[in-house]
Amino acid sequence: MAGLCPAAFSGTASPVTSSLRPIVPPVNAAAALAAPSRATWAFDAVIFDMDGVITDTAAVHSAAWKHMFDEFLRARERDHGEPLREFTHAQDYLRYVDGKPRLQGIAAFLAARDVHLPTGAADDPPSAETIHGLGRRKNELFHALVEAEGVRVYASSIALVGKLWRAGIQVGLATSSKNAALILGKAGVRELFATVVDGLVAEQLQLPGKPHPDIFAAACARLGSSAARAIVIEDAGIQQFVFGVAL
């Protein structure tokens, strides 16, 4: 897995390794009695994003995207004489693929580079020069990184989730990722979320991805909360944050 270096894209937060397993929120009577009344809160539910909020996987995603796109762009330079401009975190990952469903992110980046590929089919192999093929290749690279390095979580986010549980606030997670089960399982934090609406659920329900608010609204509904009584915690830019307020 030479060339993949997620540390190069890490943010300023301080994640901890998944071996430092967070404490599962207490559900005993004493803890419940010590918790503030829900009536003292202006909200009933909190929906967390996953990558970059609960887990430090945004850096891993960025590294996998860079590896996949740089290989593709080098092949275009070799076979079509196109000048090589490498994929970068600041100019490309954050602008075109961060937080979006995988295929939408690929299409957005390729359009920005004036590269046109057929969509292909969901069963395209990773070697196929289609949007689905590139998506399959990126996902393989991401899985390899997760298997090799594990998943780190943000200690402050896990601590907040515990406080919310103890206060009687419903906690859910919504993400465009189709790898949520793998990531949350590797990190040992799946049980912290009463519901998870991920890319697979969104696909089954035919929900549009970010920046549309539908996955967050679906998580609210699954928790039995109205959107007006929910908070979204998301690490996207201000253009995407607006939908969290609009819920």
Side-chain angles (χ1 to χ4, degrees), residues 6 12 19 30 34 40 46 53 56 68 74 78 104 120 126 214 220 237:
T12 56
S19 60
T40 65
V46 177
V53 176
D56 187 32
M68 183 276 288
R74 289 190 186 99
R78 182 186 66 243
Q104 289 183 22
D214 300 61
C220 287

Side-chain angles (χ1 to χ4, degrees), residues 7-78:
F9 302 102
S10 295
T12 56
S14 299
V16 297
T17 62
S18 59
S19 60
L20 300 178
R21 186 179 177 87
I23 298 173
V24 178
V27 292
N28 58 64
L33 289 172
S37 166
R38 180 177 294 186
T40 65
W41 297 80
F43 53 90
D44 302 319
V46 177
I47 313 300
F48 287 82
D49 184 24
M50 183 178 69
D51 297 320
V53 176
I54 295 297
T55 60
D56 187 32
T57 38
V60 185
H61 277 293
S62 184
W65 280 117
K66 177 172 176 58
H67 190 93
M68 183 276 288
F69 274 129
D70 283 355
E71 280 188 340
F72 170 75
L73 294 170
R74 289 190 186 99
R76 298 283 297 188
E77 179 187 40
R78 182 186 66 243

Side-chain angles (χ1 to χ4, degrees), residues 26-210:
V27 292
N28 58 64
L33 289 172
S37 166
R38 180 177 294 186
T40 65
W41 297 80
F43 53 90
D44 302 319
V46 177
I47 313 300
F48 287 82
D49 184 24
M50 183 178 69
D51 297 320
V53 176
I54 295 297
T55 60
D56 187 32
T57 38
V60 185
H61 277 293
S62 184
W65 280 117
K66 177 172 176 58
H67 190 93
M68 183 276 288
F69 274 129
D70 283 355
E71 280 188 340
F72 170 75
L73 294 170
R74 289 190 186 99
R76 298 283 297 188
E77 179 187 40
R78 182 186 66 243
D79 299 338
H80 303 284
E82 297 176 358
L84 173 64
R85 269 195 304 131
E86 291 190 358
F87 181 92
T88 70
H89 180 80
Q91 296 299 318
D92 299 311
Y93 174 75
L94 294 177
R95 183 176 298 178
Y96 301 117
V97 302
D98 184 28
K100 294 181 181 177
R102 192 180 309 143
L103 300 183
Q104 289 183 22
I106 293 170
F109 173 74
L110 293 180
R113 295 295 182 94
D114 198 26
V115 175
H116 306 283
L117 293 182
T119 300
D123 59 353
D124 281 355
S127 58
E129 197 163 299
T130 64
I131 290 177
H132 274 283
L134 293 182
R136 179 71 64 85
R137 176 61 178 152
K138 183 268 174 181
N139 204 42
E140 286 188 350
L141 292 166
F142 177 77
H143 276 246
L145 276 172
V146 168
E147 290 294 337
E149 302 185 12
V151 175
R152 302 196 301 172
V153 299
Y154 289 104
S156 57
S157 298
I158 298 303
L160 175 59
V161 171
K163 288 180 180 178
L164 292 168
W165 273 109
R166 291 190 290 273
I169 303 297
Q170 291 268 55
V171 181
L173 184 142
T175 174
S176 295
S177 175
K178 292 183 177 181
N179 295 307
L182 169 70
I183 293 167
L184 297 175
K186 283 282 185 182
V189 298
R190 172 59 185 89
E191 66 270 28
L192 300 184
F193 303 98
T195 191
V196 172
V197 176
D198 63 4
L200 295 174
V201 173
E203 190 172 76
Q204 292 167 1
L205 299 179
Q206 298 184 321
L207 302 176
K210 300 176 188 178

